[in-house]
Amino acid sequence: MDMMINVALPKGRLGDKAYAILEKSGYPCPAMKEDNRKLTFENEEIGVRYFLVKPSDVAVYVERGAADIGIAGKDILLEYKPDVYELLDLKMGCCRMCVAGPKDFRDDPAQTLRVATKFPNIARMYYSGLSREIELIHLNGSIELAPLVGLSDVIVDIVETGKTLLENGLAPLEEIVPISARLIANKASFKFKGERLRRLCAQMERTMNL
Ligand code: PRP
């Protein structure tokens, strides 16, 4: 069996921050600092291997065991419900899943609400909890455009600073759930490499609290 710990890191700012914590926690990988286009890096001495993954794919790598652990946004975990363990709230990448729309938007219960989103399951769950009938419009990005051009009435999307909404004349209307990055683990790995993964998790938690 592969006794390395395989870590799926999201490419980008969140991954850089998560790696900084891992490095401080005793899991450095100097090769990561080299500016190249490689996607895997390993430090054989301490038995850790990092994969750089598109953020929304981290949970797929971990759920299928290609990575033992990974860093994924709670938005992705809520949307795809991967069968993984959630070990730790990393309290980074913090933002809110919101309903947003024109500032003066008033919902007319007599009409089906048209909702554009990258997160159809979260949107469906939220509105079914409110018993509100909606028409879902599944987009892949630039969601804020949809209400501007009459494609939808509102959007369900991530709001971090609120700048994108503001610059497009939109406003957050309702908060659905706060979001942050989580350390997740593959269930089988947690059985077979449990002690090492628990140690890694505890060390990350300690570093975060320093
Ligand atoms: C996300 C999200 C919003 C924006 C929110 O988009 O979908 O558009 O960030 O950030 P803000 O509140 O700080 O302005 P992302 O950058 O992931 O691009 P996307 O258009 O592909 O969804």
Side-chain angles (χ1 to χ4, degrees), residues 118 140-144 157-165:
K118 255 193 307 199
N140 296 299
S142 300
I143 316 296
E144 292 83 357
D157 201 11
I158 280 168
V159 179
E160 192 182 348
T161 61
K163 205 161 172 254
T164 313
L165 290 179

Side-chain angles (χ1 to χ4, degrees), residues 98-102 114-117 127 139 143-147 152-159 165 170 173 176:
C98 287
V99 177
R114 295 172 308 153
V115 182
T117 188
Y127 283 106
L139 298 177
I143 316 296
E144 292 83 357
L145 182 61
S152 75
D153 302 309
V154 294
I155 62 174
V156 165
D157 201 11
I158 280 168
V159 179
L165 290 179
L170 303 173
L173 302 173
I176 299 178

